[in-house]
Amino acid sequence: MTGANISFAEVVLLAFWAVLVAELVGDRSMYALASLSLRFRWVVVFAAFTVANATKMAVAVLLAHLITRFQSHWTYLVSAVAFFISAILIWLDESHEMGHAGEKRATRSKAAFVSFCSFFLTEWGDPGQIAAAALVLRFHLTLATWLGATLALMLKGGFAITLGLQIRDRLPVRTLRILSSVSCCILGILAAAQSVVTWV
């Protein structure tokens, strides 16, 4: 198949399937997403996740040649730092001195900020982005690839959010905060270890 004889819809479906499989098998952001949904409102987390990953996927398909060679210890190091910062921010309590409305706004802003940074600053050059970049190089249909890949990421996000909500309904707030922070720390440690391995 070449870009000349494959349709836009076929590339959307192909990108959706390729990226979904790559993300489910080789990506850790599902765990981060489930962890953040334990602590923050799922709508805010999902929106931040979608915007961050749609932006990253746009970069991946527009810079396909670069993304396919992008794995380095620096990407893992940035991921580790972002996960550790997320763990700290999740752990910190909201101020009890502000009013109820102000507290809700602060919580929503914090959730959006922490969630967006957790996903935008981590996992660059991951299997899903590489799969999308490869499809662009193969078929030269950038928009179709981006659309299919982004829909796949949203579906993956839906799975992870559902898991997080199932857990959140069964645990007290303090336990959720600890679990969410510890999960981000573990992801940070794993990313730091990968940074060391790729550096050596």
Side-chain angles (χ1 to χ4, degrees), residues 23-64:
E23 290 283 333
L24 290 176
V25 171
D27 185 67
R28 283 192 299 270
S29 64
M30 280 187 71
Y31 307 108
L33 186 55
S35 296
L36 289 168
S37 69
L38 295 178
R39 182 71 178 97
F40 302 120
R41 289 187 61 195
W42 74 267
V43 175
V44 178
V45 175
F46 185 73
F49 169 82
T50 300
V51 172
N53 280 284
T55 304
K56 286 169 64 178
M57 197 55 71
V59 173
V61 298
L62 291 172
L63 302 176

Side-chain angles (χ1 to χ4, degrees), residues 19 23 46 49 53-54 57 148-158:
V19 171
E23 290 283 333
F46 185 73
F49 169 82
N53 280 284
M57 197 55 71
T150 301
L151 290 172
L153 290 169
M154 290 176 71
L155 180 61
K156 178 189 82 167

